[in-house]
Amino acid sequence: MSLVLELQKDLISNEVEITTILRKALLISKKLSIKESIQWLEYEINGYPNSSVDLFPEYRNLSCNPKALNPYYGWQPLIFNDEDNLDMLKKAQITWSIAEIENNLKNSEDIIYLVGERANILAKHFDTQVHFEISTASLHNILEQVRIKLLNWTTELEEKGILGKGISFSQEEKISAQNFHNCIFDNSVKNSGALGTNIDFNNSGNIGHSNSITNNVTNAIDNLIKEIQSDSNLKTEVKDGIIENLNSLKIEKEDSKIKKTFKTLIGFGTILFDKAPYIIERIDTIKKFFNL
């Protein structure tokens, strides 16, 4: 039987796990030397290193509910003054391998709770536990989207007469495979989006009056600005927003405005953690100069 037709049979069966199907699809892609599908399949099998990589699929951007633990009332929705930033935090980029998704679905009922670095950063500023809730239905949709993409892909191969014999393909089939539309990537995008600038973490603490700007502070700020300017993962408008706030730290003298600026910068760093984790680290270092 043709390997392509065998894969189609697996795809319409509920008895074959997606992980097994992906391995078979990867074998086909490697035999046909289809580079883009090889990359996508390896990401799905092994997991995505982060959500800013090329070919990160839109179907892995899920809605979530950020919640904080109230000692008296249990888990409660996080409240932010800025709705745009809240909307950004209500999105979760699932980088897990398909096997991890399948395993989580086996061990969960209706809701899955996500923690990790982004939750830890928010927990630090809210001084309580934070997690993100996603529905198991949305994870099931990831599996279904992968299945549909592979069905369309194998159908396209079949239409071009690329079926193979057993687990082998002819030279003509390999050449033909380089010239057809690869429908797997119609919904694959680099994760990006417009970001707001103000997140109110309701963070308490005294800044004090030792806010004189030293050369060390200026150098730390300038070095972070240079790093942000050279970061190709960040959109121009996002860079401009962060840099504008960083520059204001070099001239601002009023404690309340300095504190507000740091909250804004922390908001940027939290939302951009997957793309630029160094931002939070550098901001924390700069804060120490201000006795925050």
Side-chain angles (χ1 to χ4, degrees):
M1 186 177 189
S2 155
L3 190 57
V4 172
L5 296 180
E6 186 179 325
L7 180 57
Q8 287 181 348
K9 184 179 178 181
D10 290 344
L11 284 163
I12 61 176
S13 170
N14 291 324
E15 298 179 0
V16 184
E17 290 188 334
I18 297 293
T19 304
T20 301
I21 290 171
L22 286 168
R23 287 197 294 264
K24 190 173 291 185
L26 182 59
L27 176 63
I28 293 172
S29 293
K30 287 189 173 181
K31 285 182 173 290
L32 293 172
S33 300
I34 307 175
K35 293 181 180 179
E36 281 193 319
S37 60
I38 289 172
Q39 180 67 84
W40 175 74
L41 289 162
E42 287 180 340
Y43 280 150
E44 293 292 337
I45 292 170
N46 300 317
Y48 290 78
N50 55 66
S51 61
S52 64
V53 299
D54 289 335
L55 305 179
F56 188 81
E58 181 61 33
Y59 57 79
R60 281 177 170 266
N61 287 323
L62 305 185
S63 297
C64 68
N65 293 313
K67 291 189 175 181
L69 182 61
N70 183 301
Y72 302 103
Y73 300 103
W75 290 98
Q76 300 294 314
L78 288 181
I79 298 175
F80 294 87
N81 287 343
D82 190 295
E83 287 298 320
D84 289 337
N85 282 316
L86 179 58
D87 287 343
M88 288 299 299
L89 286 175
K90 285 185 175 181
K91 296 177 182 178
Q93 290 75 40
I94 304 302
T95 59
W96 299 335
S97 69
I98 288 295
E100 289 176 297
I101 292 175
E102 289 178 323
N103 186 59
N104 274 289
L105 288 171
K106 288 177 183 176
N107 298 316
S108 304
E109 295 182 359
D110 297 325
I111 299 294
I112 289 178
Y113 305 98
L114 304 179
V115 286
E117 288 298 329
R118 185 164 66 157
N120 291 338
I121 291 168
L122 287 171
K124 177 181 177 182
H125 292 283
F126 280 102
D127 195 25
T128 187
Q129 296 179 53
V130 173
H131 69 215
F132 299 86
E133 298 180 359
I134 60 173
S135 69
T136 54
S138 61
L139 287 183
H140 276 294
N141 184 61
I142 291 177
L143 301 183
E144 189 60 26
Q145 289 298 317
V146 169
R147 191 181 292 271
I148 290 171
K149 282 181 175 293
L150 287 173
L151 272 172
N152 291 336
W153 183 65
T154 57
T155 301
E156 212 171 313
L157 287 171
E158 183 183 8
E159 289 174 353
K160 294 294 184 180
I162 306 169
L163 296 173
K165 186 176 182 181
I167 60 172
S168 299
F169 293 90
S170 68
Q171 188 62 31
E172 289 76 12
E173 286 175 318
K174 292 178 180 179
I175 294 172
S176 182
Q178 306 304 307
N179 300 314
F180 77 98
H181 168 62
N182 205 331
C183 58
I184 282 179
F185 308 107
D186 288 346
N187 266 342
S188 295
V189 295
K190 292 192 72 172
N191 184 37
S192 60
L195 300 177
T197 57
N198 297 311
I199 294 182
D200 185 3
F201 289 98
N202 297 316
N203 191 28
S204 60
N206 296 320
I207 294 178
H209 298 284
S210 56
N211 290 328
S212 59
I213 301 300
T214 66
N215 287 334
N216 287 337
V217 178
T218 302
N219 290 338
I221 292 173
D222 288 341
N223 287 337
L224 178 54
I225 288 174
K226 289 177 183 178
E227 198 164 356
I228 290 170
Q229 287 174 330
S230 63
D231 194 333
S232 60
N233 288 326
L234 302 181
K235 298 179 73 173
T236 300
E237 56 267 32
V238 175
K239 292 181 182 181
D240 291 345
I242 302 174
I243 291 170
E244 179 182 356
N245 281 279
L246 285 170
N247 280 325
S248 72
L249 290 175
K250 295 191 290 186
I251 59 175
E252 187 57 63
K253 302 297 182 183
E254 188 176 332
D255 286 357
S256 61
K257 291 183 179 180
I258 292 173
K259 185 175 180 180
K260 183 177 180 181
T261 299
F262 272 111
K263 287 180 180 179
T264 299
L265 288 168
I266 290 166
F268 271 117
T270 302
I271 295 171
L272 294 171
F273 186 83
D274 289 339
K275 293 184 178 183
Y278 64 88
I279 291 178
I280 281 288
E281 180 184 347
R282 303 293 192 279
I283 291 171
D284 283 342
T285 299
I286 294 169
K287 282 177 64 179
K288 294 176 181 177
F289 290 108
F290 292 86
N291 296 324
L292 291 175

